[in-house]
Amino acid sequence: MPDGPVVIGMDDTIERRWGRRITARGIYRDPVRSSHGHFVKASGLRWLSFMVLTPVAWAGVVKALPVLTLLAPSERSDHQRGRRHKLLTEWARQGALQLCRWLPDRDVVFVSDSSFAVHELAHALDGRATLISRLRLDANLFAPPPGRHAHTLGRPAQKGPPLPKLKALLSNPATPWRRITVSSWYGRKEQKTLEITSDTALWYRCGTPPRQVRWVIVRDPEGKRAPQAFFSTDTTLDPTDIIALFVRRWQVEVTFAETRAHLGVETQRQWSDKAIARTTPALLGLYSLVSLWACDLLTASSNSCRSMVSKDQPHLHRCHRCRATCSMDR
C-alpha cells in the first residue's frame, strides 16, 4: 500500500425516482438542472458517497472510487416511520468515523464541498482525520485567546479578538499575495497560475468550541472566476497542498455521471426498501471494481507485450491483446 494520506471525497447525489412505494424518496433541489437564478425540484433518493481520490495509472488522472455509500432518507419518510430525522451532515459524520475505524493506521483526509463545512463534523474528526472544504468569505474567525496570569479572573477564554473578514482582506491593499501554479483547475485547465494568501485562525460558531484551521484565499489573476476560500483542520498543511487536495474532489462528479451513463444508476425499477438499499451502493462499488480490474488487466497485457517483443523487433508495434500501440525499449 502506498505511503501518504488516504484522500476521501464525500458528496451527495440525487437518484431521480418516482413512485408511491419508494418510501425513502423526497423532493430536493436538482443540482444539475438548477442554477443561481433558476430552481428546479426533483423527486428521488439522496445518496451520500465516500470515494477514494487516487491517481489511476491507466487513466492518467485522479479518479474517485466509491468505497461507502449511505442512503439519507427524506424528512417526510423519517416522520412517517417515527424515526428521528438525521441531517446530511450527521450521515457524513457517521460515515467518516466508520472509515476512520476501518483505517486505524493511516492518515485520512476528507475533502468536501461547502455543504459539509460545519463545526460539528470538524470537531467529530478532531484527532482522527483532516477535513478540507470551502470557507465562507464572511466566516467568523478569531485570534487565539490571550494568556492567563495569576490575577486573571473568570473562566478561561475560548477565543481572542475577532479577525477581519476574509472578504475584507480581498480589498485590502496591504494583504500579501503569493503566486503559485497548480497542475489542474476549473475547465480542465492545466498549469494554472493563481494568487493566494493564507494564515491560521480560530473558526468559531456560538454553541460549539472554536476550531483552529488554516484558511486559504484564492483569486484568479485573469479575473475569470470569483475569489474563493478554503480551510483545513490540519494547520501544518501547506496552502498549495490544500488547494491540490481540494481539486481532486471534482472527480466525484465525474464518477456520478459515469455511473449514470454506463452502469444504469437511475434506471432501476425495484421499489422495496431492501432492494433500494442494495442496488445503488452495489453499482457504485462496481465502478471501483471495474477500475481496479482494468488496472490489473492493462498491467498484465503490458507485461505480456514486453515479453513478446525481442530486441531485433522495431520499437513500435500493434498489440493484438490491448489493441494499442505499445512502445518498447531496445
Side-chain angles (χ1 to χ4, degrees):
M1 184 176 291
D3 296 330
V6 179
V7 184
I8 300 177
M10 54 182 174
D11 201 359
D12 65 300
T13 186
I14 305 300
E15 178 190 341
R16 300 174 188 87
R17 297 290 300 274
W18 289 92
R20 290 179 297 176
R21 294 186 178 184
I22 303 178
T23 57
R25 72 179 180 91
I27 304 298
Y28 305 100
R29 176 184 179 273
D30 193 323
V32 177
R33 299 167 183 170
S34 301
S35 62
H36 292 290
H38 185 58
F39 184 86
V40 178
K41 295 180 180 180
S43 170
L45 302 167
R46 169 173 277 182
W47 296 95
L48 174 61
S49 187
F50 296 83
M51 308 184 187
V52 175
L53 307 176
T54 181
V56 176
W58 63 267
V61 296
V62 171
K63 292 187 72 67
L65 306 181
V67 294
L68 176 64
T69 302
L70 306 174
L71 175 62
S74 65
E75 185 175 2
R76 174 188 57 83
S77 172
D78 285 335
H79 288 168
Q80 289 178 350
R81 299 184 180 193
R83 299 176 178 173
R84 182 185 69 86
H85 178 62
K86 291 168 62 173
L87 300 176
L88 186 64
T89 51
E90 295 181 88
W91 287 107
R93 176 186 58 81
Q94 183 176 352
L97 292 179
Q98 180 62 59
L99 288 170
C100 290
R101 286 190 288 268
W102 288 345
L103 301 168
D105 300 325
R106 297 297 301 271
D107 295 329
V108 183
V109 178
F110 290 97
V111 186
S112 66
D113 207 349
S114 56
S115 301
F116 303 93
V118 295
H119 290 75
E120 290 79 6
L121 182 58
H123 283 288
L125 298 178
D126 189 15
R128 297 182 177 90
T130 300
L131 176 64
I132 296 177
S133 184
R134 295 183 184 272
L135 185 65
R136 292 171 59 98
L137 293 176
D138 58 352
N140 294 322
L141 301 177
F142 295 84
R148 293 176 63 86
H149 52 80
H151 301 286
T152 302
L153 301 178
R155 294 183 300 174
Q158 290 187 324
K159 55 185 176 59
L163 297 175
K165 301 291 185 183
L166 299 184
K167 59 183 178 182
L169 297 178
L170 287 169
S171 57
N172 188 350
T175 301
W177 295 93
R178 177 162 63 100
R179 288 212 166 195
I180 65 170
T181 301
V182 295
S183 58
S184 61
W185 194 240
Y186 287 99
R188 298 181 180 180
K189 187 175 179 62
E190 298 180 355
Q191 302 302 316
K192 171 67 176 177
T193 300
L194 301 172
E195 293 179 341
I196 66 170
T197 184
S198 177
D199 202 351
T200 59
L202 292 179
W203 183 34
Y204 177 75
R205 192 196 69 177
C206 184
T208 58
R211 186 70 169 86
Q212 189 173 23
V213 298
R214 172 168 291 281
W215 55 263
V216 184
I217 304 178
V218 180
R219 70 179 185 183
D220 186 358
E222 300 176 0
K224 295 182 178 180
R225 289 194 171 270
Q228 305 176 60
F230 309 96
F231 77 89
S232 168
T233 56
D234 183 359
T235 57
T236 62
L237 278 179
D238 188 85
T240 55
D241 294 333
I242 295 175
I243 298 172
L245 290 173
F246 186 85
V247 167
R248 292 191 186 188
R249 194 203 67 84
W250 299 335
Q251 293 300 319
V252 172
E253 302 297 340
V254 176
T255 296
F256 284 144
E258 291 182 346
T259 53
R260 286 184 170 91
H262 304 293
L263 296 181
V265 173
E266 290 188 351
T267 64
Q268 306 97 307
R269 291 295 178 264
Q270 77 282 356
W271 53 263
S272 67
D273 293 342
K274 290 184 178 180
I276 285 175
R278 295 190 197 108
T279 309
T280 299
L283 291 176
L284 289 168
L286 179 61
Y287 182 90
S288 300
L289 291 175
V290 170
S291 299
L292 296 176
W293 288 336
C295 288
D296 292 340
L297 289 174
L298 293 177
T299 301
S301 298
S302 177
N303 293 336
S304 299
C305 292
R306 292 179 183 275
S307 62
M308 291 169 59
V309 178
S310 65
K311 294 183 179 181
D312 297 331
Q313 290 177 313
H315 285 273
L316 299 178
H317 75 290
R318 194 70 177 175
C319 175
H320 69 280
R321 294 194 178 186
C322 58
R323 297 183 180 179
T325 301
C326 301
S327 177
M328 297 298 172
D329 297 329
R330 287 190 182 274

